[in-house]
Amino acid sequence: MAQNTAQEQEFLSLHNAARREVGVEDVVWDETVAAFARVYAAKRAGDCNLQHSDQAERDDLKVAAAVQMWVNEKQDYDSASGRCMKGRPEELMCGHYTQVVWRNTKAIGCARVKCDNGGIFITCNYTPAGNVPGQRPF
């Protein structure tokens, strides 16, 4: 399923809004990275595995909702320590958020596919990739 320009722009604008909140440069769309994301999403369409949210089961999951779920992990990121807050449930995650705002990332490519089971799978890839151990996102 090829991305359309409006969907690409939506991925970009949502990522860049979150990045501007922490003072890092905007990312641009990279078609090579997007092609990788599309291939991966197509592989997941048969099973919709690697879902991080029950919302991904819905057949109407939109780009904005998916990116917002990633950005909402900001509440679990402790900027003083540069890690997810401790003392929270083990399932606490902030790695999606930190990748969205990773200062060294320059480009993204994303894909959204409808899965065979009716769910939606949304993925983004980043270059250069973030979440480097021992480094802070911004």
Side-chain angles (χ1 to χ4, degrees), residues 8-113:
E8 292 170 5
Q9 288 304 315
E10 187 173 17
F11 276 117
L12 281 171
S13 66
L14 294 165
H15 275 75
N16 288 333
R19 294 173 67 80
R20 289 177 192 141
E21 285 183 12
V22 297
V24 295
E25 292 181 19
D26 285 0
V27 290
V28 297
W29 189 261
D30 183 302
E31 189 51 40
T32 301
V33 178
F36 181 84
R38 284 192 291 275
V39 167
Y40 182 70
K43 288 179 183 177
R44 297 278 54 96
D47 58 22
C48 246
N49 278 344
L50 299 179
Q51 299 171 15
H52 295 296
S53 169
D54 290 339
Q55 275 193 310
E57 297 287 338
R58 295 176 28 197
D59 64 1
D60 63 344
L61 184 66
K62 304 288 189 240
V63 167
V67 177
Q68 191 59 54
M69 284 187 283
W70 302 335
V71 172
N72 285 347
E73 292 178 5
K74 178 180 183 177
Q75 67 188 354
D76 300 324
Y77 177 71
D78 179 22
S79 59
S81 70
R83 297 188 302 242
C84 290
M85 288 187 232
K86 294 188 176 199
R88 299 280 187 119
E90 283 187 17
E91 67 271 6
L92 181 70
M93 296 177 63
C94 68
H96 298 99
Y97 169 70
T98 55
Q99 177 57 83
V100 167
V101 298
W102 198 263
R103 72 182 172 282
N104 293 332
T105 296
K106 303 299 181 202
I108 65 170
C110 305
R112 178 185 184 273
V113 296

